[in-house]
């Protein structure tokens, strides 16, 4: 049977397992990834199958985790590193920004960095401080990194495999609050769509709604809601955040004339701004309205009982739709 | 490992620590009963918090069960003027510093990120980013040095800092850098690590192959390893360390061997990675039981006192229960508060836009 | 005498000195800031005047420097931290992002963080790797931080003083390659313009050119060059990068209808994108052309002998002007 | 501090190291002459680089003057299969690994960020971000363990890693985390710190109050302190450490006491922070002079050999001079090369736009 129904978390597990079976140089490192199977159980069962040389419970030190993974990559390994929560990637920021990202460049292409950094990403799970961050813009600005943000189980499986196969470093932003959202995964047939391309996940004509990762289901919900008011929303799942697939978005915007971007990260300085600027540059004469953005505020991620106000929700996305159509 | 109270409550003398305990009046029967009561209280609050989490009242709870002596002892070893820098599992420390337990619960409920005034209570905010608090502790100590609050010989005024972190957090580079700064500047800081054997599912042996206490020796920082389930050993070590630091003798490091009796948090399932037998073994070393046995041996505790403590603990748990159950969710507008201390046009504009956005719904509701 | 001619570096020195004289809680920390006076001599003479309790040569550990500064701020001090070069701020990134930025918020406003982080910033000095970075976008996305980027000696002096007086944490991006550019500094009269506001430094009517820090002299040069072709360029010095003074920029763009943004940082994910998105949103019906950006490429900062290609220069700015006017 | 050669060239025996030197044939007169020649060569290249910088041919130069023994010794102590992880001042290491000096000069000239194939030469790229290379070394060692290249007993095949860093860099948290990983996983890594007394203007005493060698003891990593100006002590310590690591006995740490005789870099003015007398004092301990004295004492060096070395060194300097002076600036289009190893639409678009932008000028020039 080639199609299975899996929650996103388990699709990633399957992707990791199949990648490890296919290539013995793939190994997993991080805090609690071994016997426990990770705090989200994403590496569940892998320690049992592959042992502690390939599924490594590391000391509790993120720079050390990423830095030793760099060394392993130098030695021909393909380490998959788990950062336990988005808020704890920053101790490794120096290694990621000055080492992982630049190694291929600074060695004149002589050394490749096939390193995957998995990060459970985003909010909405009622967590304590530092467990709900969306730091994608803090990585997308740095050349040399690639960033994937799957929103479905199928993408989660294949992007995991493709990220591991890529000779460049890839940050995988896993949609934490959608970990248990199920979807069909076809593990036999490689998708035709490249992981670095965006996907139109719902066609529409009045307005383009761009989202990624955990915000894609929300965007689809908004499109469905808009349809009831006879507004036809085209939803694009960005899928790759570095590179951003500008042509697919621009194609859509040339047709709809309007773009709304939704992400959980603070709007200010978020990736939405970059996309807005690029799309405006490419589609200036097609735009009926400025590109609008709905996202987090210019505040730290707030206490969990207020996160509903901070996070984009259906009302706020629909408000964005209304404002965009009012132009 | 230094132990003043064995598991069955037997008292072993310890020259240095006994002197310190004596000088501070820290081991009088009355004080001992006080520690006992504190530990019973904080354990009850802890268990209630776990139950509140199960009831959906808290998002998460990180239990300190089993670490009561390690925390109550350290908290009371500090003098009033000292500054304490906790992690996120320091409920006994908080209790000893006079922080009401419901303030902790509020954080785990998700209504605030920090529940008290660090200046007023001389206790740093809880810290979730592992190790990040350690350099703060050293910097605070450097401030004390500049304030002339170190080494004047006045024990009631000279001040020291207690920096807490776990066995897992000890691996973070920021902790090592803190050792470097503290050693270089001879900062009045006592580093205090509760080695509770586990960092979530990872045993301490992954963080260090030698006793953790040895770590600071690489910087020439003297260290001791104490039984963290022995409130007197903890009191002696921490008081002695802080007094030496306040006297201007530089940093010290204490490894406090204890055990996290519960799972890592309410989200964790400890049975996935550690045997029940280990938990049972440590139950034998329970810090509360041990102190009670010791007091009983001294004939300084009676059933009535034990019962009173339990009643009070029960009352506390009930109070917490009612407090939390009666709690309203915060006004979402607080999201915009305190991002900056001075006016900020972007935050102001976003706040205003959000107010306006919300007012649509009011209009809609009014319109109905 | 209240007006002196000073190079930017020395204006900062003067600002630090005067701040330290005015408030004994101000202290300076960093690598080589003491006897040596810093690798750019910005703290020259301060150790001699204030001693090693107030001008502190620290161990070589950036997280430790910023982290202990946080502790000093808790204790009532106003630490001014020097990061030796832009490329070496990343080991402190965790402290800056999760601690410095959020402390006021997470303590419910009970604790203030009057911390200044000085960073010599930008390229163009023919340096080796990691000495020429422009990481402003990596900080501006994080709420709780303020960022100043002086471009003149006068601003350098006053922004230093004002940053130190501010109760929020401030990152001072000092225009490294302009350190020896001289200008008049009036140390007696506090400027009327707030440090958080942008300044129109050359009025014009055809096009707005926005720049900051080291790029401001370049923008002025471009405006002069354009003037010779009868193109009237209004130059704005952003001065503050967090908050960004959107109203001043928008006012100008409403008049000129065109905006070109120049910065050294890579265009992709740079602050220019955020500004472009905001200005487009605010001035949509006034824009004659999309906002354009000239800046670094999506590459690591290249070897020094190629940096002339990477950095915006007069030709590339003028090319941007031409492209903008061609719309 | 272990010393095998005193400043006047006198040889002191050392049981462990002598055995190691003997076993490896590392201290034969021929080898000693070779080290002498290497040190003379690398010093000449170093001086020439400084002069090229003064001539505007290099953007910067970081001189390793005075550290020749610490580097040539360590470089030759490594076996061919070993992997070396340098900082940015490791010209003697580079020389010992067969990296042509002009490749270093190119980096300081600003035409490339890295001049050799790390796989081919088994030497990591130079590292400017202090300490960032240390975890790479440990990770590489963890790879060796997984490859079965450790502890098989075959000295010619079993592999170890030499991780270099300075006294200043020793304070970086990433170095401490590297100790933690190396100790936990018993990685085959020798940490080798050249304590050259200064981190730019900051003396080692600010990084540590106790001998730096002591640092690793906090992790239970054995360490030694050797005279870094004594090529034999360095050879003995590093070979012994690497052989023990390759045998699967885990990490070691070596502090190599030496002196940075020049300023930090050509941009630095050492007279601002250290007295000339200190430089003179260390000139007495010069590593090259010392080895020559030793060889002279053994009657294993003559004027002719010395002259030949000097001639060769002079030739090398001249070669470098001509090589660098004749060097063209790189094609600016290399800016876009190797950002990614697989196609990337954004980089491709920017490259294309830049080509088009440049073509305007060609058109303009053609039009003239
Ligand atoms: C920088 C950072 N990395 C990871 C985490 C996730 N995390 C939270 S607690 C924990 C284990 C901590 O172990 P230890 O320091 O021993 O403290 P304990 O939980 O035992 O009290 C981990 C990995 C974190 N909070 N911060
Ligand atoms: C992370 C980082 N911080 C700061 C610097 C700037 N810097 C370059 S060399 C140096 C001193 C290094 O001293 P040490 O480690 O002893 O090596 P040495 O220069 O003596 O060889 C400093 C501070 C840097 N390169 N990297
Ligand atoms: Mg623990
Ligand atoms: Mg040094």
């Amino acid at each position: 049977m080639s199609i299975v129904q899996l929650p996103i978390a388990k699709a990633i597990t399957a992707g990791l397992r199949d990648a490890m079976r296919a290539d013995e140089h793939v190994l997993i490192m991080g805090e609690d990834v071994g016997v426990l199977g990770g705090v989200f159980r994403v590496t569940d069962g892998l320690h049992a199958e592959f042992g502690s040389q390939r599924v490594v419970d590391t000391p509790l030190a993120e720079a050390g985790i990423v830095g030793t993974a760099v060394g392993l990559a130098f030695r021909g390994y393909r380490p998959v590193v788990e950062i336990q929560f988005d808020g704890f990637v920053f101790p490794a920021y120096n290694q990621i920004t000055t080492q992982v990202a630049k190694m291929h460049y600074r060695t004149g292409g002589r050394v490749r960095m096939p390193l995957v950094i998995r990060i459970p990403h985003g909010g909405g799970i009622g967590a304590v401080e530092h467990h709900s961050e969306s730091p994608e813009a803090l990585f997308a600005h740095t050349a040399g990194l690639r960033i994937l943000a799957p929103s479905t189980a199928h993408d989660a499986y294949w992007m995991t495999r493709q990220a591991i196969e890529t000779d460049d470093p890839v940050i995988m932003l896993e949609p934490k609050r959608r970990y248990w959202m199920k979807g069909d995964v076809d593990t036999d047939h490689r998708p035709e769509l490249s992981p670095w391309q965006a996907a139109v996940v719902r066609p529409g004509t009045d307005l383009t709604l761009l989202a990624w990762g955990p915000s894609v289901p929300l965007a689809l919900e908004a499109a469905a809601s808009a349809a009831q008011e006879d507004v036809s929303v085209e939803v694009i799942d960005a899928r790759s955040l570095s590179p951003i697939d500008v042509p697919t978005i621009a194609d859509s915007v040339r047709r709809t004339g309007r773009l709304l971007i939704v992400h959980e990260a603070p709007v200010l300085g978020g990736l939405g701004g970059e996309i807005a600027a690029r799309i405006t540059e490419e589609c200036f004469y097609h735009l009926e309205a400025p590109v609008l953005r709905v996202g987090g505020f210019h505040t730290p991620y707030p206490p969990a009982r207020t996160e509903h106000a901070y996070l984009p929700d259906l009302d706020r996305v629909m408000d964005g739709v209304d404002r965009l159509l009012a132009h | 490992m230094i132990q003043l109270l064995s598991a069955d409550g037997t008292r072993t003398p310890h020259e240095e620590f006994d002197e310190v305990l004596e000088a501070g009046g820290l081991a009088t029967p009355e004080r001992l009963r006080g520690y006992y009561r504190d530990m019973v209280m904080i354990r009850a609050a802890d268990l209630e918090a776990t139950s509140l989490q199960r009831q959906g009242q808290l998002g998460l709870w990180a239990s300190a069960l089993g670490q009561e002596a390690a925390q109550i002892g350290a908290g009371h070893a500090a003098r009033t003027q000292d500054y304490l820098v906790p992690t996120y599992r320091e409920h006994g420390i908080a209790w000893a510093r006079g922080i009401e337990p419901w303030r902790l619960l509020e954080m785990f409920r998700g209504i605030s990120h920090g529940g008290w005034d660090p200046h007023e209570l001389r206790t740093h905010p809880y810290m979730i980013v592992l190790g990040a608090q350690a350099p703060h502790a050293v910097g605070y100590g450097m401030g004390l040095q500049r304030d002339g609050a170190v080494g004047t010989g006045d024990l009631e005024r000279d001040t020291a800092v207690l920096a807490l972190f776990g066995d897992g957090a000890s691996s973070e580079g920021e902790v090592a850098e803190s050792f470097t700064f503290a050693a270089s500047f001879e900062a009045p800081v006592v580093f205090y690590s509760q080695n509770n054997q586990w960092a979530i599912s990872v045993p301490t042996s992954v963080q260090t192959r030698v006793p953790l206490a040895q770590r600071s020796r690489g910087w020439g920082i003297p260290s001791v390893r104490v039984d963290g389930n022995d409130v007197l050993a903890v009191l002696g070590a921490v008081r002695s360390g802080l007094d030496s630091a306040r006297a201007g003798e530089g940093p010290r490091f204490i490894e406090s061997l204890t055990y996290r009796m519960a799972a890592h948090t309410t989200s964790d399932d400890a049975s996935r990675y550690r045997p029940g037998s280990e938990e049972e073994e440590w139950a034998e070393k329970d810090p509360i039981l041990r102190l009670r046995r010791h007091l009983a041996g001294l004939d300084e505790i009676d059933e009535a006192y034990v019962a009173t403590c339990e009643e009070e603990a029960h009352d506390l748990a009930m109070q917490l229960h009612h407090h939390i159950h009666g709690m309203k969710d915060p006004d979402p507008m607080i999201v915009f508060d305190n991002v900056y201390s001075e006016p900020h046009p972007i935050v102001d504009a976003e706040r205003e836009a959000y107010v306006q956005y919300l007012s649509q719904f009011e209009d809609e509701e009014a319109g109905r």
Side-chain angles (χ1 to χ4, degrees), chain B residues 343-363:
Chain B
H344 193 284
I346 307 274
V347 176
D348 292 345
E350 289 189 349
R351 182 195 284 111
E352 206 171 296
Y354 191 66
V355 167
Q356 234 168 339
Y357 159 78
L358 287 181
S359 71
Q360 292 173 43
F361 301 100
E362 284 164 28
D363 296 353

Side-chain angles (χ1 to χ4, degrees), chain A residues 140-197:
Chain A
H141 189 40
T142 297
L145 302 173
R146 294 173 179 268
I147 308 176
L148 291 174
S151 75
T152 66
H154 187 68
D155 269 359
Y157 174 82
W158 281 108
M159 285 184 173
T160 298
R161 299 218 47 184
Q162 290 162 325
I164 294 172
E165 288 163 8
T166 301
D167 271 352
D168 295 317
V170 180
I171 295 179
M172 277 276 292
L173 299 175
E174 300 176 357
K176 191 192 296 163
R177 65 162 147 153
R178 312 287 184 194
Y179 265 148
W180 304 108
M181 194 181 84
K182 287 188 180 179
D184 286 341
V185 181
D186 177 350
T187 57
D188 283 356
H189 301 94
R190 245 167 217 275
E192 276 166 38
L193 189 69
S194 149
W196 315 112
Q197 284 185 302

Side-chain angles (χ1 to χ4, degrees), chain A residues 25 27 29 52-54 56-75 77 91 94-95 98-99 101 103-112 142-146 165-168 196 242-244 246 278:
Chain A
H25 283 99
L27 40 87
M29 306 169 62
S52 50
Q53 290 299 297
R54 294 188 64 195
V56 187
D57 269 333
T58 62
L60 210 166
E62 288 77 9
I65 295 170
V66 174
T68 52
V70 169
L72 279 153
F74 261 88
R75 184 68 201 172
Y77 286 84
N94 183 48
Q95 282 291 329
T98 72
Q99 305 300 313
M103 204 54 89
H104 189 254
Y105 195 75
R106 56 200 297 273
T107 59
R110 295 181 189 98
V111 174
R112 300 190 165 192
T142 297
L145 302 173
R146 294 173 179 268
E165 288 163 8
T166 301
D167 271 352
D168 295 317
W196 315 112
S242 181
I244 276 276
V246 179
R278 268 175 202 255

Side-chain angles (χ1 to χ4, degrees), chain A residues 76-155:
Chain A
Y77 286 84
R78 305 182 87 84
V80 181
V81 156
E82 175 174 307
I83 297 291
Q84 199 159 80
F85 280 89
D86 32 52
F88 308 136
V89 68
F90 302 117
Y93 199 79
N94 183 48
Q95 282 291 329
I96 297 174
T97 304
T98 72
Q99 305 300 313
V100 173
K102 295 183 176 43
M103 204 54 89
H104 189 254
Y105 195 75
R106 56 200 297 273
T107 59
R110 295 181 189 98
V111 174
R112 300 190 165 192
M113 274 292 114
L115 197 87
V116 178
I117 302 176
R118 296 180 37 242
I119 311 181
H121 162 252
I125 62 162
V128 292
E129 221 185 340
H130 307 294
H131 289 69
S132 309
E133 319 290 308
S134 296
E136 59 262 34
L138 303 176
F139 294 106
H141 189 40
T142 297
L145 302 173
R146 294 173 179 268
I147 308 176
L148 291 174
S151 75
T152 66
H154 187 68
D155 269 359

Side-chain angles (χ1 to χ4, degrees), chain A residues 60, chain B residues 67 88-89 165-169 193-200 202 204 260 264:
Chain A
L60 210 166
Chain B
Q67 302 180 215
Y88 52 86
R89 195 197 295 286
F165 53 86
D167 49 294
S193 185
Q194 287 163 75
N195 177 355
N196 64 4
Q197 316 297 324
W198 294 94
I200 310 187
V202 179
T204 307
R260 193 196 75 206
H264 173 66

